[in-house]
Amino acid sequence: MRRIRVFDTTLRDGEQSPGVALNAQEKLEIALQLARLNVDVIEAGFPIASPGDAEGVKLVADNVKGRAVCALARAKDKDIDIAWECLKNAEHPIIHTFIATSDIHLRHKLRLSREEALEQAVWAVKRAKKYVADVEFSAEDATRSDWEYLSRVYAAVIEAGATIINVPDTVGYITPFEMQELIKYLLENTRGIEKVVLSVHCHNDLGLATANSLAAVLAGAGQVECTINGIGERAGNAALEEIAMSLYVRRDFFQAETNLNFQEIYRTSRLVSQRTGMLVQPNKAIVGQNAFAHESGIHQDGVLKEKLTYEIMDARLIGREDRVLVLGKHSGRHAFAKKIEELGYKLSEEELNQAFQRFKQLADQKKDITEDDLKAIVSEEVAKPEEIYHLDFVHVCCGNNILPTATVRLVKDGKEVLEGVATGVGPVDAAYKAISKMLGISSNLVNYTLQSITGGTEALGEVIVRILDGDEEYIGRGSSQDVVVASVIAYLSAINRMAQRKRKLNPQKDYGES
Ligand code: KIV
Ligand code: ZN
């Protein structure tokens, strides 16, 4: 079996998804989970893009050991220097530099001739090589570039020291058949290519990203670049979980394997969805809510008789055991702590206490506590922003023929009590208006999503919101069996993030109720 390297770019290309902005701590949390998943390379960000991104890359490079950590840089001195600054403490740093090679990009975007772009690519690789042993070079828009020129650029950067050569399908244009031809062409015609890792990076504009990545593997590529849940620019990137499971389930055909720890796939998918606020579509392959659900009677009958009839893989393989009952109302703190540890979490004493309290509340109302419930509880406790505003209570009055009204009481900094009342088009709208009015905030709610974590009317409902304050966006998440309460927790958690940041930027001027 050939071993295929998995280069995860969730924290870089994935983070370029519209509306997604991860802070440094969130990047680190995801990177640590990617390390558990056992990806080979974590592309942590594009440091020149913003100080926040640079901070995130540095935090990941400083703290994630045993994995290669990569930073993106255009073929420019400042980009490469700052990438190195951020990667300095990484155990295995990789600088990933790129320049476009298609005539469309050269003519309209860069205004460079082919020869000038080639020279700049060589220059950039040499500069990166002064800092790190492993340099990846990407020819942006490779799939719409002239093949003979592309191969010349790759040969030149290999000579300059590049150790990984990436072929991005930047605009998701190529088809699997052409991808196979292109990879074969490059392998046969590029001087020095046998010494380096040949990588592909596919976008999903035509829904072909996974198919194109697999076609490249078949033709001889040794690395695939991908993201969790397929997030990324526009229609996203090739989904890691789809590539991983295709190679595994059809190993008879591909004769290639990854080093991934499949058990961590589902948890990684949930974490990325929660931190980015990007919900996974229910019918998404591998990680969607319906991916293993059988609705038709014929299918259900078949699966009950023999799973193989309609299932090509076992959900447990990727760490999905959502129907498994794990704890109940009578479980004590010890059993709870043990289960949390088994699930791979390392909580501080205080986090554990808080999570246990949440678990007890939930167990009082819900008979069956599943692993997914526990993951939701832990994820909320661990990622909870430091509270400036704490929810004391929310009361709503709603129904048909009644004006929805909400009364909300918050406690600020543990001492000051604030109360607000408002009406709205529904109970959530009324509660949000009550909070906004009482805090005197004019932030915009740009996104609100609600989904149930497990089935049934007593399930936990999970709400993710995004609010916009000037140019800054903040994500908040909340879960509860009561969707209004979940909504208020989510809104407050976004507001707490915003208030924390404002307080940090300007400690004199307090932010809050007017
Ligand atoms: O899609 C693309 O071309 C990229 C490169 C920077 C690799 O993301
Ligand atoms: Zn990309």
Side-chain angles (χ1 to χ4, degrees), residues 12-13 201 203 237:
R12 199 278 297 169
D13 214 320
H201 173 110
H203 279 271
N237 289 67

Side-chain angles (χ1 to χ4, degrees), residues 98-130:
F98 72 99
I99 193 164
T101 49
S102 68
D103 287 337
I104 301 174
H105 279 232
L106 290 177
R107 196 172 308 137
H108 302 290
K109 187 182 81 174
L110 299 177
R111 307 222 158 95
L112 289 178
S113 69
R114 286 186 180 184
E115 290 321 304
E116 283 167 334
L118 186 147
E119 271 169 35
Q120 205 168 315
V122 168
W123 172 89
V125 168
K126 284 188 178 159
R127 188 172 185 102
K129 195 72 184 179
K130 279 201 228 155

Side-chain angles (χ1 to χ4, degrees), residues 418-437:
L418 312 165
E419 265 182 18
V421 184
T423 57
V425 293
V428 173
D429 185 46
Y432 281 21
K433 282 190 173 133
I435 295 173
S436 303
K437 206 164 81 182

Side-chain angles (χ1 to χ4, degrees), residues 127-195:
R127 188 172 185 102
K129 195 72 184 179
K130 279 201 228 155
Y131 296 126
V132 291
D134 265 332
V135 175
E136 170 163 331
F137 171 77
S138 282
E140 192 188 9
D141 207 14
T143 53
R144 290 192 300 170
S145 304
D146 175 73
W147 288 13
E148 188 275 326
Y149 170 62
L150 187 64
S151 157
R152 257 191 322 120
V153 173
Y154 285 146
V157 294
I158 292 171
E159 202 179 326
T163 50
I164 306 154
I165 293 300
N166 188 33
V167 183
D169 183 28
T170 304
V171 290
Y173 178 75
I174 207 166
T175 65
F177 321 100
E178 292 165 305
M179 181 58 108
Q180 264 192 296
E181 291 306 307
L182 173 58
I183 296 297
K184 273 192 209 146
Y185 174 87
L186 291 173
L187 283 170
E188 280 162 17
N189 294 283
T190 309
R191 199 172 2 98
I193 203 148
E194 67 292 344
K195 294 186 292 200

